[in-house]
Amino acid sequence: MAPVSGFGEEPARMILPQLQLDDLLTELQARLETARATRDRVHALLEAVVSIGGELDLASVLRRIIESATTLVDARYGALGVIGEEGEHLVEFITVGVGEDEIEAIGHWPHGHGILGLLIKEPRPLRLPDLADHPESYGFPANHPPMRSFLGVPIRVRDEVFGNLYLTEKAGGGEFEEEDQVVVSALATAAGVAIENARLYEETRRRQRWLEASAEISTALLSGTDPHEVTALVAVRAREIADADLAAVAVVGGDGRTFTVQAADGMNAEALRDLRIPLDHSVAGKVFTEGVALRVADGQEAAREAGVPTQVEVGPMLVVPLGVGSAARGMISVVNAPGGAVFSEGTQRLLEPFAAQAAVALELAASRRDTERLLLLEDRDRIAKDLHDTVIQRLFATAMTLMSAIKITQKPEVATRVQRAVDDLDDTIRQIRSSIFALQAAAEEESLRGRVHELVDTAARNLGFAPTVRLDGLLDTAVDDQTGEHLLAVLQESLSNVARHARASEAIVVIDVGDHDLTLRVEDDGVGIPEGGRRSGLRNMEERAKGLGGSFSTRPRLDGGTTLVWCVPLADG
């Protein structure tokens, strides 16, 4: 019986569909795995987007962006470089995967050369299997960890490129794939929105601080707070508004050629206080004279020009004028340490009106003080006239009556007593006249008379007692500035000699301003000037007198001690 045709082929036909089914099942499983992986990646991307979108602090947002990007594509190292406003260099560099010790060993962050610079010049995604093979590669600095595979994606905020995401070293040693690029690009899009929100929030907070600080300064000045305290407050608030490491307020001096730093706050601020800065050929002078702010990425050269002490480390700097035109008073400077963030245009826009408003408030406060001083001087003038027209005339009349009584007095002891009373009246009249001159002079803390009293008060601490002081004549109006400075120097040297050498218990200071000359007399009841003693201080006083066309002498006092006489002609004498 013949075999059934094809019986041996039936099993083959049955196996073939089975094999095809297995292939289909395998392919289906692979696609399911791919779908599951895609789903997981999409979920991870969504979580990353939600995570970065939930932050409003810019520094935290940037940190989360780079951490999310490295996690999404399994990169070992990641960085986010922020591009400066000029669009050519990186001004901030945030890293993930590199330890602090490694960062310190490498040194400064990249400025934006090589592959990083290529992404700045051509802001589009870039994938490389090996960084070293690209013609734009500059290599790595010393102590830099090895990196091969690379993925870079720009981050745009509206129409501008804010910065770039840099990812290196794919896990497992492989290359970054197109899907990685798609995921990171999507994250970069969401990052741009989060960055814009954070920037808007930060600007809102700064504007709030600006409003509060401006109101605080205006209120403090107009309520009578000491201007020096307010200037210190201006420095504090300026540093807060600019989020700077250091802020300083410099005010132009009366000579119009130098600034004096009246207040500073922040890093090494004490080294800046009372620093004098030349106006000519300096950044400060240019800002002051032109009334235009200056913003630089590195202020070290400007700091050297200004004579800033070396312990004050100067990096990015922003200088704005404190008022403009006739209201210009000085400048406000804010500084970050070397390597710190460069001040943005937005920061400048906030600091400029703050400085302008502070200058207006200072000007109003100065005007109010001038008004108060004028009222005080008018009151002093009225009192001076009353003293001159009433009190002195009565005393003078009394003295004349007593002088007449001396002539008809028979007893010598009565005449002596009357003469003593006349002398006392004369001395009283001189003291009242001195008080009248003081009342008619400018405010004491700004006058030569006031500086004399301040110097004597300072010397009293070294002497152990308060010297007697008598000032006769128009000390504040008849004595020019140069002669006044010499007078103060000689008086200080004289009292210093009494404190160091005389062993005195009493000292008398008399300054007499005549019609043609100025005379200083200093007496003490000490041991006198020893023979052969050091005379450098006396020689200096003599040279000062001769330099002004005057004279200087010392002589023993009748009751013991020394009398010093320094006399110089007045400029209009």
Side-chain angles (χ1 to χ4, degrees):
M1 184 167 135
V4 178
S5 176
F7 180 78
E9 299 174 359
E10 189 65 27
R13 285 196 297 269
M14 293 176 63
I15 293 171
L16 183 59
Q18 183 66 39
L19 291 174
Q20 292 176 343
L21 181 59
D22 289 343
D23 291 340
L24 289 172
L25 289 173
T26 301
E27 184 179 355
L28 179 60
Q29 185 175 1
R31 292 191 178 186
L32 287 172
E33 290 294 335
T34 303
R36 185 181 296 109
T38 302
R39 181 202 64 189
D40 293 343
R41 206 164 199 186
V42 169
H43 285 171
L45 177 60
L46 290 174
E47 289 177 0
V49 170
V50 171
S51 174
I52 63 176
E55 282 286 352
L56 288 175
D57 177 65
L58 183 58
S60 300
V61 169
L62 299 181
R63 171 66 59 179
R64 287 203 176 188
I65 289 170
I66 189 58
E67 289 174 346
S68 299
T70 53
T71 301
L72 284 172
V73 297
D74 293 328
R76 181 176 179 184
Y77 302 111
L80 194 156
V82 180
I83 302 173
E85 292 183 359
E86 74 284 354
E88 296 179 357
H89 303 291
L90 298 177
V91 295
E92 191 173 356
F93 202 73
I94 303 157
T95 61
V96 170
V98 182
E100 292 296 329
D101 294 340
E102 292 176 293
I103 293 174
E104 186 175 351
I106 295 170
H108 198 277
W109 67 53
H111 293 285
H113 301 297
I115 300 297
L116 306 188
L118 178 62
L119 272 170
I120 295 174
K121 292 182 291 184
E122 302 175 9
R124 58 174 180 265
L126 177 65
R127 259 187 313 127
L128 299 174
D130 194 334
L131 281 165
D133 293 339
H134 196 281
E136 292 282 344
S137 177
Y138 269 38
F140 297 110
N143 304 311
H144 197 285
M147 296 180 182
R148 195 178 67 85
S149 56
F150 175 84
L151 172 59
V153 175
I155 298 176
R156 285 183 168 83
V157 176
R158 296 188 179 179
D159 296 330
E160 66 177 18
V161 178
F162 173 83
N164 293 305
L165 276 171
Y166 307 113
L167 303 161
T168 60
E169 289 298 285
K170 176 79 170 178
E175 301 176 8
F176 291 105
E177 301 172 353
E178 185 176 356
E179 187 178 343
D180 295 324
Q181 178 178 318
V182 171
V183 170
V184 175
S185 296
L187 179 67
T189 301
V193 176
I195 290 170
E196 176 69 3
N197 290 339
R199 288 167 72 179
L200 290 173
Y201 176 71
E202 179 63 24
E203 185 173 353
T204 301
R205 288 181 59 195
R206 284 190 178 184
R207 287 187 179 278
Q208 181 67 26
R209 289 201 299 267
W210 173 79
L211 289 171
E212 292 174 353
S214 298
E216 182 181 12
I217 288 167
S218 299
T219 302
L221 279 170
L222 299 178
S223 63
T225 303
D226 183 84
H228 293 290
E229 294 182 19
V230 179
T231 305
L233 182 61
V234 169
V236 173
R237 297 296 178 253
R239 187 178 67 82
E240 292 175 354
I241 290 171
D243 196 19
D245 294 327
L246 173 66
V249 179
V251 177
V252 68
D255 58 2
R257 296 194 299 270
T258 58
F259 292 101
T260 300
V261 178
Q262 289 193 349
D265 180 68
M267 171 185 66
N268 293 320
E270 63 281 354
L272 282 180
R273 295 189 184 102
D274 299 324
L275 174 69
R276 292 186 176 272
I277 302 172
L279 190 146
D280 297 332
H281 311 298
S282 69
V283 168
K286 184 176 181 181
V287 171
F288 177 75
T289 54
E290 297 181 4
V292 179
L294 179 69
R295 186 160 44 96
V296 294
D298 188 352
Q300 291 185 8
E301 183 177 350
R304 284 194 296 270
E305 289 179 355
V308 173
T310 54
Q311 63 263 39
V312 180
E313 298 180 335
V314 177
M317 182 172 66
L318 170 61
V319 185
V320 299
L322 187 61
V324 293
S326 59
R329 306 180 67 87
M331 62 179 182
I332 298 178
S333 304
V334 290
V335 175
N336 278 335
V342 177
F343 295 104
S344 66
E345 186 178 351
T347 300
Q348 179 179 327
R349 287 197 301 267
L350 284 176
L351 199 59
E352 283 178 322
F354 171 77
Q357 187 160 348
V360 170
L362 288 168
E363 186 71 21
L364 289 174
S367 299
R368 189 196 63 186
R369 289 195 303 275
D370 289 342
T371 301
E372 292 175 350
R373 187 178 293 112
L374 181 60
L375 292 174
L376 175 63
L377 291 176
E378 288 178 349
D379 200 33
R380 286 181 173 184
D381 189 54
R382 179 184 58 79
I383 296 172
K385 287 179 180 178
D386 290 344
L387 287 173
H388 182 273
D389 296 341
T390 305
V391 178
I392 286 184
Q393 298 304 324
R394 289 184 177 180
L395 290 174
F396 186 74
T398 302
M400 293 296 293
T401 302
L402 291 174
M403 289 291 292
S404 301
I406 291 176
K407 296 177 181 179
I408 60 175
T409 299
Q410 301 298 322
K411 296 182 178 181
E413 61 270 18
V414 174
T416 301
R417 290 185 180 183
V418 172
Q419 183 62 50
R420 190 175 301 161
V422 171
D423 293 341
D424 289 343
L425 285 172
D426 287 341
D427 189 59
T428 302
I429 290 172
R430 281 196 298 271
Q431 291 182 13
I432 292 176
R433 281 177 174 167
S434 179
S435 298
I436 291 173
F437 295 144
L439 288 170
Q440 291 175 333
E444 187 159 289
E445 62 269 17
E446 299 175 356
S447 66
L448 180 59
R449 185 181 297 270
R451 294 175 68 185
V452 167
H453 282 296
E454 183 180 354
L455 192 153
V456 172
D457 290 342
T458 301
R461 291 195 288 268
N462 296 325
L463 290 166
F465 58 86
T468 302
V469 181
R470 194 179 80 198
L471 308 178
D472 294 332
L474 299 173
L475 187 61
D476 292 315
T477 56
V479 181
D480 62 274
D481 292 342
Q482 181 184 10
T483 304
E485 293 298 331
H486 284 292
L487 170 67
L488 293 172
V490 172
L491 176 58
Q492 183 176 26
E493 180 68 24
S494 302
L495 294 176
S496 176
N497 286 342
V498 173
R500 288 182 295 174
H501 309 301
R503 299 199 293 275
S505 60
E506 179 187 16
I508 300 172
V509 175
V510 178
I511 299 177
D512 183 24
V513 182
D515 294 333
H516 305 288
D517 53 26
L518 164 69
T519 302
L520 165 67
R521 188 173 80 251
V522 179
E523 301 181 10
D524 68 78
D525 63 350
V527 297
I529 301 174
E531 293 292 333
R534 293 182 60 187
R535 296 176 177 268
S536 58
L538 300 178
R539 187 163 52 250
N540 290 338
M541 296 184 221
E542 184 177 7
E543 289 175 355
R544 287 180 183 274
K546 289 182 177 179
L548 295 173
S551 62
F552 171 76
S553 64
T554 58
R555 62 176 182 267
R557 196 162 172 253
L558 293 178
D559 299 331
T562 304
T563 297
L564 176 152
V565 179
W566 188 81
C567 183
V568 295
L570 295 176
D572 57 349

